[in-house]
Amino acid sequence: MTESYKQHAEEVSSSPRYRVGFFDYQHDFAGKHNYRGPSYGYFTPEDSLVVPGWVVPDIVEGRQSLQLQVIQGGEVLQCETVSFLPSEDVHKQYPDLEQAAEARYKINFPLHFLENDEYVLRFCLLEGRNIKARLWDLAYIRDEVLIKPIFVVGSPRAGTTAVGNALREALGAKNYGEHHFLFLAKKMEDTISEYFRKYHTRNDKGTFINDISPALVKVKMSQQIKELYASWQPGGYFVDKTPGRNMLKSIPNIQQIWPEAKYVFCKRRAYENVKSRLVKFPHLTVEQHAKQWVEVMQSWREIRRKLPEGSYIEVDQHDLRGEAAAGLVDKMSEVLQIDSEEVYGYIASKSPQKSNYSGGNENMNGLEETVSQICSDEMVKWAYSNDHNGYY
């Protein structure tokens, strides 16, 4: 284990750590509300939950108030009243709703009660003494799995194998060619969310589906995946190299499971990437490969906006050779907090895979023209040259 990973483990183990999951009941709420608090991340008993937001119901029949409940094992341990605050900005947005004039709230709730394995904080709108609507749940689950992951993602045939193997070599991590597993986490979470939003008895009082927190179900399911990764890949870290669109779509779920995750996005200009894809995957056409390249690049541009600063680096296969590789590896090692010499040693000795274009693949006919038509706009966004003879 490298020194930085040792330090990380010591910091985490100094206090009980809880991972949080979020569920929004907006689907069943007759009105609008806005939640601006954490939807993922780690907390300890020394922390406080800070949530600004506002609530505007469509219909008001009596005196309304807000309540934050602390729930464990289905029992409400504590209730805190949350005051409505003036909200001129919200009233401007909903001028026809009188209650929008006092719709804001600000929660600053100490988490010193965190002691056992799991809790739910449930935020409700009350009318009189009765709960009129649930607004959101935050589930806290004890999570002291110290494994720290690096995810190598991007377009197939863009250097993911070289980078993934270099990182595994430097860290002594267990080596899988590719993982192709975490899209399952996305499908599981999507299924849980859909079930709790659409199942016909979800709002029937006295049923378990109505009482249990969807946030808790989601975070407990994801914890099983996290523990499975830790048990199957022993050590303080692992490197998951899985290129392609499904892995990129899974990153929001990965963030929830591993908030400390680091990402390496491997990219390559469309002309070279599509040509290499055709050799490896000849069953697809130039047009299909080109559209997939665009989808990957667009998806990453959207995803990286939501990633924490300093949690990712972009690596172009073009720069993994020659003198440029040393500077790139130094930057990559700084972001990932690993030994750059070991990474560079692998990169320098084993260049990215080279495709054999001598097979006479008929699919390559008209490649440049087709790729230019489909990928031109996206290549410009990435500062790639549309001139086939130039790269940047």
Side-chain angles (χ1 to χ4, degrees):
M1 183 183 294
T2 64
E3 194 61 35
S4 59
Y5 282 102
K6 287 181 181 177
Q7 181 181 356
H8 169 77
E10 290 169 358
E11 289 174 353
V12 169
S13 61
S14 63
S15 179
R17 185 181 75 170
Y18 291 80
R19 188 163 59 86
V20 71
F22 176 74
F23 186 83
D24 189 345
Y25 290 97
Q26 182 70 64
H27 185 273
D28 289 318
F29 178 56
K32 302 290 183 183
H33 75 88
N34 183 265
Y35 170 87
R36 299 296 297 274
S39 57
Y40 68 93
Y42 295 121
F43 291 83
T44 71
E46 288 75 37
D47 294 323
S48 292
L49 172 67
V50 178
V51 181
W54 52 262
V55 182
V56 181
D58 284 344
I59 301 173
V60 177
E61 297 176 352
R63 184 175 180 181
Q64 296 190 323
S65 60
L66 298 170
Q67 185 181 82
L68 185 67
Q69 300 176 344
V70 180
I71 303 171
Q72 184 189 29
E75 299 295 326
V76 178
L77 304 181
Q78 183 179 348
C79 293
E80 292 289 330
T81 299
V82 178
S83 300
F84 279 112
L85 304 173
S87 52
E88 184 178 345
D89 57 332
V90 180
H91 201 196
K92 286 181 179 179
Q93 189 173 355
Y94 300 100
D96 296 333
L97 299 177
E98 182 180 347
Q99 62 273 20
E102 287 195 353
R104 285 203 168 275
Y105 64 85
K106 179 68 177 289
I107 296 172
N108 192 337
F109 189 67
L111 299 176
H112 51 71
F113 62 87
L114 291 176
E115 179 181 357
N116 295 319
D117 287 343
E118 60 191 51
Y119 297 87
V120 173
L121 291 184
R122 175 167 288 165
F123 195 53
C124 303
L125 176 69
L126 274 60
E127 201 159 73
R129 295 184 178 182
N130 299 318
I131 295 176
K132 183 172 180 63
R134 295 173 184 172
L135 300 174
W136 46 260
D137 283 359
L138 279 175
Y140 293 82
I141 185 170
R142 185 180 280 248
D143 179 351
E144 295 178 340
V145 179
L146 302 183
I147 193 165
K148 185 173 180 180
I150 298 173
F151 294 95
V152 181
V153 298
S155 179
R157 313 302 294 166
T160 54
T161 298
V163 171
N165 287 341
L167 294 175
R168 291 179 184 129
E169 184 112 338
L171 296 170
K174 191 170 183 178
N175 192 349
Y176 292 101
E178 294 180 356
H179 279 64
H180 291 287
F181 184 77
L182 286 172
F183 192 56
L184 175 62
K186 180 185 185 313
K187 297 190 77 170
M188 288 171 59
E189 177 159 337
D190 290 348
T191 299
I192 293 169
S193 295
E194 182 179 17
Y195 187 83
F196 276 96
R197 289 186 176 117
K198 294 184 178 180
Y199 196 76
H200 64 283
T201 63
R202 67 189 183 279
N203 293 323
D204 290 356
K205 293 182 179 181
T207 61
F208 182 63
I209 186 178
N210 177 256
D211 195 40
I212 190 67
S213 168
L216 183 61
V217 175
K218 290 201 296 183
V219 78
K220 285 177 74 72
M221 289 291 187
S222 67
Q223 188 69 12
Q224 293 296 310
I225 290 178
K226 187 170 190 175
E227 292 175 0
L228 185 63
Y229 257 71
S231 66
W232 215 254
Q233 301 176 104
Y237 47 84
F238 67 86
V239 179
D240 182 329
K241 189 275 285 192
T242 307
R245 298 166 293 173
N246 283 346
M247 190 62 173
L248 290 174
K249 293 175 183 177
S250 304
I251 287 180
N253 304 92
I254 292 171
Q255 273 188 278
Q256 294 171 27
I257 302 172
W258 291 281
E260 70 275 35
K262 302 285 188 177
Y263 304 88
V264 181
F265 178 73
C266 295
K267 56 193 176 79
R268 192 179 187 185
R269 192 174 65 152
Y271 292 122
E272 290 77 9
N273 186 246
V274 171
K275 193 174 182 181
S276 182
R277 281 168 172 256
L278 281 167
V279 174
K280 184 78 172 181
F281 311 108
H283 60 286
L284 297 179
T285 65
V286 172
E287 182 178 358
Q288 289 172 315
H289 280 303
K291 287 181 177 179
Q292 288 185 13
W293 181 89
V294 171
E295 185 178 352
V296 165
M297 303 302 277
Q298 287 179 340
S299 295
W300 175 253
R301 282 197 296 108
E302 178 64 25
I303 288 166
R304 70 184 178 187
R305 293 174 48 248
K306 302 174 184 178
L307 293 177
E309 185 177 353
S311 66
Y312 70 88
I313 183 171
E314 295 171 353
V315 175
D316 197 296
Q317 196 212 43
H318 183 272
D319 299 324
L320 288 174
R321 300 186 180 91
E323 296 180 0
L328 182 62
V329 167
D330 283 342
K331 185 177 179 183
M332 183 165 60
S333 299
E334 180 182 349
V335 171
L336 304 180
Q337 300 176 343
I338 60 176
D339 188 336
S340 61
E341 291 186 10
E342 295 184 37
V343 178
Y344 181 69
Y346 185 95
I347 292 289
S349 62
K350 297 182 181 180
S351 298
Q353 295 177 358
K354 295 181 180 179
S355 301
N356 179 5
Y357 301 124
S358 61
N361 191 331
E362 295 181 358
N363 283 350
M364 292 193 185
N365 294 334
L367 182 145
E368 293 180 23
E369 182 179 353
T370 302
V371 170
S372 180
Q373 289 175 350
I374 296 172
C375 306
S376 177
D377 289 345
E378 192 65 22
M379 283 197 290
V380 169
K381 289 181 173 66
W382 287 89
Y384 287 132
S385 173
N386 275 303
D387 180 0
H388 187 68
N389 297 316
Y391 196 81
Y392 295 117

